[in-house]
Amino acid sequence: MTKLSTRTRTDLFIHLGIILALAVVLVLTFFFGYLPFSTNHGQTITVPDLKQMSLDELENYLDDRKLRYEVSDCTFVAGGVPLTVFAQYPQPGSNVKEGRKIYLTVVKRMAPQLAMPNLIDLTSRSAELLIRSMGLVMGDLTYEPDLGKNKVLRQYANGQEIKAGMPVAKGTKIDLVVGDGEGNVYFPTPDVTNLPYDEAATAIQGAGLRVGVRVPVDDPEQEVGTVIKQKPRAGERIRVGQSVDVWVVGPLDSNTDANQ
């Protein structure tokens, strides 16, 4: 066997070049020969969309496509079909190798139980935000006469009134009864005719009503400032918060508006 001489610098460079060439050949052979062969390089499968499929369907469906699955999480979805796929990873359309495991989030059979929040006296908007934040569903609004406009008066679940703290399933629809801002207390309109305007205004406001339009009229037989007519008339049923217009003898004072 002939020995390679390394006595000269030229011989040394030749040897180093041979070693470097062999190393490059080995690296290229590994990456472009052995590695692609051992890992089935270039052989990929497109991940199908598994959403809303049942677990019973998945086994054979994924076997046929040389894929596997694992349930990694469960969640409750209002209106969702139990034991069906809600989400998956990798996403549909991704390219993966044969035998890749698809991780699934599945819809639970039973909804978790929550403690019903207290919505009474909240505005309907605030109540809706709280309902949605807890995983409940905003239902119908029913208006009832009440001075508190859009104030929650009662709360219902499944047609039954539900109190704060009672158990309610996540995803349950919550219906609310709210105030219309007008109230429902009716009573006879007080009689303010023949009273001085100041006394009439005090009587009207004391009854939970508002003084409406003050109409100036001429009546030489009555003292100036006397109320000689009102609308609604005395005895008519009126609701809390409504206004009573009055006809007053004499011109309006310079500091008095026509609408009070």
Side-chain angles (χ1 to χ4, degrees):
M1 180 175 178
T2 303
K3 276 189 173 183
L4 294 175
S5 174
T6 58
R7 292 179 180 178
T8 66
R9 182 173 295 183
T10 302
D11 292 338
L12 178 61
F13 286 151
I14 291 172
H15 290 170
L16 290 175
I18 292 172
I19 293 171
L20 182 60
L22 289 174
V24 170
V25 170
L26 287 174
V27 170
L28 292 176
T29 301
F30 177 78
F31 281 103
F32 294 97
Y34 171 76
L35 193 60
F37 175 79
S38 63
T39 59
N40 295 319
H41 182 69
Q43 298 179 19
T44 60
I45 298 171
T46 300
V47 176
D49 188 353
L50 307 178
K51 292 176 183 176
Q52 299 185 354
M53 291 185 64
S54 70
L55 293 182
D56 292 338
E57 299 175 85
L58 282 176
E59 194 75 44
N60 292 333
Y61 184 81
L62 292 180
D63 277 348
D64 292 343
R65 288 159 178 78
K66 299 181 180 179
L67 296 170
R68 298 176 297 146
Y69 78 89
E70 178 180 317
V71 176
S72 60
D73 196 11
C74 293
T75 187
F76 176 76
V77 180
V81 179
L83 300 183
T84 59
V85 177
F86 175 71
Q88 66 181 83
Y89 180 83
Q91 296 295 325
S94 303
N95 291 321
V96 299
K97 297 174 184 176
E98 288 184 5
R100 173 64 187 268
K101 187 179 289 185
I102 310 300
Y103 295 93
L104 305 176
T105 299
V106 176
V107 179
K108 285 183 177 180
R109 285 183 182 272
M110 299 293 293
Q113 295 291 306
L114 308 171
M116 180 66 196
N118 184 15
L119 307 176
I120 306 302
D121 293 335
L122 295 180
T123 65
S124 57
R125 178 58 179 163
S126 296
E128 180 177 357
L129 291 174
L130 181 55
I131 286 170
R132 296 188 188 282
S133 70
M134 294 189 64
L136 301 169
V137 177
M138 182 64 185
D140 299 325
L141 289 179
T142 302
Y143 290 89
E144 280 190 1
D146 189 90
L147 292 178
K149 186 173 179 62
N150 292 321
K151 182 181 74 174
V152 177
L153 305 176
R154 294 187 300 281
Q155 52 196 32
Y156 290 84
N158 301 316
Q160 300 294 321
E161 188 169 2
I162 183 169
K163 303 297 183 183
M166 293 179 65
V168 60
K170 188 176 181 179
T172 298
K173 186 174 73 169
I174 305 299
D175 300 317
L176 302 176
V177 175
V178 299
D180 63 3
E182 296 182 2
N184 64 345
V185 179
Y186 287 87
F187 55 86
T189 304
D191 186 358
V192 297
T193 56
N194 298 317
L195 292 178
Y197 174 76
D198 290 344
E199 292 183 21
T202 300
I204 291 170
Q205 293 166 351
L209 304 170
R210 295 182 295 110
V211 179
V213 177
R214 175 177 173 174
V215 182
V217 294
D218 291 327
D219 189 339
E221 297 182 2
Q222 294 285 350
E223 186 177 347
V224 173
T226 302
V227 176
I228 62 170
K229 180 182 176 182
Q230 67 181 73
K231 184 179 179 181
R233 292 174 299 178
E236 284 189 26
R237 295 186 63 79
I238 191 171
R239 186 160 56 187
V240 170
Q242 287 187 295
S243 61
V244 178
D245 299 332
V246 291
W247 281 253
V248 183
V249 175
L252 292 177
D253 295 337
S254 59
N255 296 324
T256 304
D257 294 329
N259 291 304
Q260 297 189 12

